Amino acid sequence: MGLERLREELQRTGIPVEHLAPEKKRVYLVGGCIRDALLGRHIVDFDFVVEDSGINYAEDLARKVGGRFVPLKLDEGRVVYKRSLVLDFSGLGTRKIEDDLRDRDFTINAMAVELQDLLHARWRILDPCSGMEDLSSKVIRTVAEDSLVKDPVRLLRAFRFASELDFVIEGNTMNALKLHRDLIRGVAGERISYELKLILQSDASWKQVDEMGEVSLLVTLFPELREMDTLLPEIELLTHSIASLRELEGLLSGTRESIDRLKPWSASYFHWKHRKPLLKLATLLHDIGKPNTLSSDKKGRVHFYGHDMLGEKLLHPILKERLRLSNAEVEAITRLVRYHMRPHLLGREEELTPRAMRRFFADLEEEWVGVLLLAYADALASENGDVSNLESLITQLVEFKEETEKKGKVERLIDGSDLIGELQLEPGPIFRKILERVEEEQLEGKVRTKEEALELVREMLKQGEG
């Protein structure tokens, strides 16, 4: 039974029982750890509800076991034990445990077990909201009608749990999500991005993203997407973006010969735990610049020239100010969007030159794997789904990358100090452009000495390239 494993996990923490569950005070395990134990999932941390004051209880426990006490909001405290184990405590005050459970977000998170019962193998679950029934039926249901109003981040948490657990959000809850969708505007950006990244971590998050679109929560979070959905009747850009996300997730979990060639590089690319959700978010937003770049030629063909560059510009304030993402996260997403058309353009070239391939890797840096995956998914989700050019491109790029890695990096003929000392240039972004050009000429055998490199730079400056 799940509760047996929960007891084992609790005992494995090494915290003495007499400190954790004194006989004279009622202490309850609640929420996610009960849910995950019953589902046989890995238990990440433990949430407790105690009689009287939660913050006093947590502070006293931290002192007894040598843990670190962290005060949280209101009457809530946290104990961090042996650096990684997290135990959160909230107080009941004058309320009963059933009152606390009825104040929670979803029925599957509104169950509790009294700690003394658990430790003495009395398998009794307090379940006033029928959470076990919904757990068995794989359903996400709000505890009460005003659940979403009490904490609007729950609008996203509904989709997060559906995504993580592969559950279905029941009809009345979906209606409530649509009714209260505007409340998400008042939620802090950090909380929104945290939930979004958790949603996108799952292998088939496109389903929840699509449902977020159905209840208009997606366009409430990103009003820019509304323009994509209403631009032209025959061009369903938002539908295409969600389809691109679906195809990307298929690529990440499935097998394609050309994509398999990326696997040796994908392992290091996805080593950063946020890489996958960031790539997915970039895929969802990759065409955000299209509504403002719409044009048509004399034959009536529609074009979106420059939508990749405009998309990068539009995304900066969205990611940084609205979602409060880190600089590294913003850089990753905007670079993917800025260059998502490059593979399509290179794939149409009759001959792929070494210089073009070097430029590709120099511009993308570590995001080269991600942009190839994004472009491939983008092509699969297009009207004809033709990826033949991209398959050939990936093969050539990977072979070039492998050969380049074998040769190792060339020793630079000049560096920034030479540009300052020899040419009296002021340090700035121009240095990178100059040094990359010199390296390209060096790799092609056109520049072999320091003097030749400096002469190349002088010529570049004379022609206004620097």
Side-chain angles (χ1 to χ4, degrees):
M1 184 179 180
L3 294 185
E4 292 179 5
R5 193 170 66 84
L6 178 60
R7 182 179 68 167
E8 292 170 2
E9 290 288 337
L10 197 60
Q11 291 171 335
R12 201 172 288 131
T13 64
I15 298 178
V17 173
E18 62 270 19
H19 293 330
L20 200 55
E23 292 188 9
K24 293 183 180 180
K25 188 181 288 289
R26 286 192 165 181
V27 181
Y28 301 89
L29 270 168
V30 298
C33 61
I34 306 296
R35 176 199 69 225
D36 290 341
L38 294 173
L39 289 174
R41 286 164 52 88
H42 174 61
I43 299 169
V44 178
D45 48 36
F46 298 92
D47 293 325
F48 298 86
V49 171
V50 302
E51 288 182 325
D52 302 326
S53 171
I55 201 164
N56 290 344
Y57 190 93
E59 189 172 15
D60 185 53
L61 178 65
R63 179 179 52 79
K64 288 177 179 177
V65 303
R68 182 165 62 91
F69 168 68
V70 182
L72 302 176
K73 60 182 182 179
L74 299 175
D75 189 23
E76 295 181 19
R78 172 171 294 171
V79 176
V80 181
Y81 184 64
K82 293 183 177 179
R83 295 190 177 184
S84 59
L85 178 65
V86 176
L87 304 96
D88 286 341
F89 297 85
S90 61
L92 280 174
T94 59
R95 300 191 307 164
K96 296 180 179 179
I97 183 62
E98 289 81 6
D99 298 326
D100 177 274
L101 296 176
R102 291 192 180 96
D103 204 30
R104 293 181 175 267
D105 51 7
F106 306 105
T107 59
I108 61 171
N109 298 329
M111 295 177 282
V113 174
E114 190 168 350
L115 207 49
Q116 284 292 341
D117 282 348
L118 185 70
L119 295 174
H120 291 90
R122 296 190 292 265
W123 314 122
R124 293 188 292 215
I125 297 177
L126 297 172
D127 183 20
C129 305
S130 303
M132 288 187 69
E133 182 179 340
D134 284 339
L135 207 61
S136 177
S137 301
K138 297 187 175 183
V139 164
I140 305 295
R141 186 193 313 273
T142 51
V143 167
E145 289 184 11
D146 62 350
S147 175
L148 302 175
V149 178
K150 289 178 179 177
D151 186 0
V153 80
R154 293 171 174 176
L155 290 158
L156 286 172
R157 282 168 63 85
F159 294 100
R160 190 242 285 189
F161 289 124
S163 179
E164 287 182 347
L165 304 175
D166 195 22
F167 278 22
V168 174
I169 302 174
E170 60 89 30
N172 289 332
T173 300
M174 283 290 282
N175 291 337
L177 290 166
K178 186 169 186 176
L179 177 66
H180 298 298
R181 64 187 183 276
D182 288 339
L183 295 176
I184 199 67
R185 294 194 180 103
V187 177
E190 293 87 348
R191 298 185 76 195
I192 291 174
S193 61
Y194 176 80
E195 295 296 335
L196 278 177
K197 283 186 279 190
L198 288 176
I199 290 170
L200 294 172
Q201 278 286 11
S202 74
D203 292 336
S205 64
W206 71 270
K207 297 176 183 178
Q208 281 68 49
V209 172
D210 194 36
E211 288 183 338
M212 288 168 64
E214 289 178 17
V215 299
S216 299
L217 181 60
L218 192 62
V219 294
T220 305
L221 280 172
F222 303 107
E224 299 81 3
L225 296 180
R226 193 185 304 276
E227 296 179 54
M228 290 173 58
D229 209 25
T230 57
L231 189 61
L232 290 173
E234 66 274 19
I235 302 177
E236 298 179 334
L237 292 176
L238 182 54
T239 300
H240 165 75
S241 294
I242 295 175
S244 297
L245 176 59
R246 182 192 67 222
E247 296 295 347
L248 173 68
E249 292 183 328
L251 292 175
L252 294 177
S253 59
T255 56
R256 275 182 178 262
E257 187 175 348
S258 55
I259 294 300
D260 285 348
R261 297 212 58 177
L262 291 173
K263 282 187 176 177
W265 308 95
S266 297
S268 58
Y269 178 70
F270 288 112
H271 182 69
W272 182 23
K273 69 175 182 178
H274 294 313
R275 184 76 72 188
K276 186 184 291 186
L278 295 180
L279 174 58
K280 291 183 182 183
L281 187 56
T283 301
L284 180 64
L285 302 174
H286 75 278
D287 279 341
I288 202 167
K290 278 191 171 180
N292 293 317
T293 55
L294 173 65
S295 65
S296 58
D297 58 26
K298 293 179 180 179
K299 295 182 179 180
R301 291 174 299 195
V302 173
H303 301 285
F304 301 97
Y305 296 125
H307 77 277
D308 44 3
M309 291 180 285
L310 180 60
E312 176 192 29
K313 184 178 179 180
L314 292 173
L315 279 175
H316 265 284
I318 294 172
L319 303 175
K320 190 65 180 175
E321 298 166 21
R322 195 183 305 169
L323 296 185
R324 310 295 294 176
L325 294 178
S326 69
N327 290 336
E329 291 170 326
V330 173
E331 173 61 25
I333 294 174
T334 53
R335 183 170 294 197
L336 287 166
V337 172
R338 168 68 179 84
Y339 291 107
H340 80 270
M341 289 300 296
R342 179 75 68 84
H344 296 295
L345 298 173
L346 290 177
R348 296 176 194 142
E349 294 287 337
E350 290 186 11
E351 181 183 357
L352 192 59
T353 66
R355 174 170 286 196
M357 289 189 279
R358 277 195 295 272
R359 175 58 57 188
F360 172 81
F361 289 111
D363 287 340
L364 270 300
E365 295 183 351
E366 59 189 359
E367 293 300 336
W368 70 270
V369 173
V371 86
L372 288 175
L373 289 168
L374 195 167
Y376 202 101
D378 185 19
L380 286 173
S382 63
E383 190 173 352
N384 60 18
D386 183 14
V387 292
S388 55
N389 288 342
L390 288 175
E391 288 182 338
S392 175
L393 173 70
I394 289 172
T395 298
Q396 292 180 75
L397 286 172
V398 169
E399 288 176 354
F400 182 82
K401 182 70 171 175
E402 290 171 345
E403 190 62 32
T404 303
E405 292 289 316
K406 286 178 185 177
K407 291 179 180 177
K409 286 191 174 182
V410 297
E411 186 175 345
R412 278 184 169 175
L413 296 172
I414 60 173
D415 57 21
S417 62
D418 295 307
L419 299 180
I420 296 170
E422 299 279 350
L423 302 174
Q424 289 76 52
L425 295 180
E426 291 289 332
I430 186 178
F431 276 31
R432 178 182 173 183
K433 181 180 178 181
I434 290 173
L435 295 174
E436 284 180 354
R437 170 70 183 281
V438 171
E439 185 175 338
E440 284 180 1
E441 300 285 344
Q442 186 181 352
L443 287 166
E444 292 177 11
K446 297 177 181 179
V447 171
R448 294 181 173 84
T449 67
K450 180 177 181 178
E451 289 71 25
E452 289 178 345
L454 290 171
E455 186 57 37
L456 171 64
V457 177
R458 291 189 187 97
E459 190 62 30
M460 288 176 64
L461 295 172
K462 190 184 297 183
Q463 295 180 7
E465 294 182 42

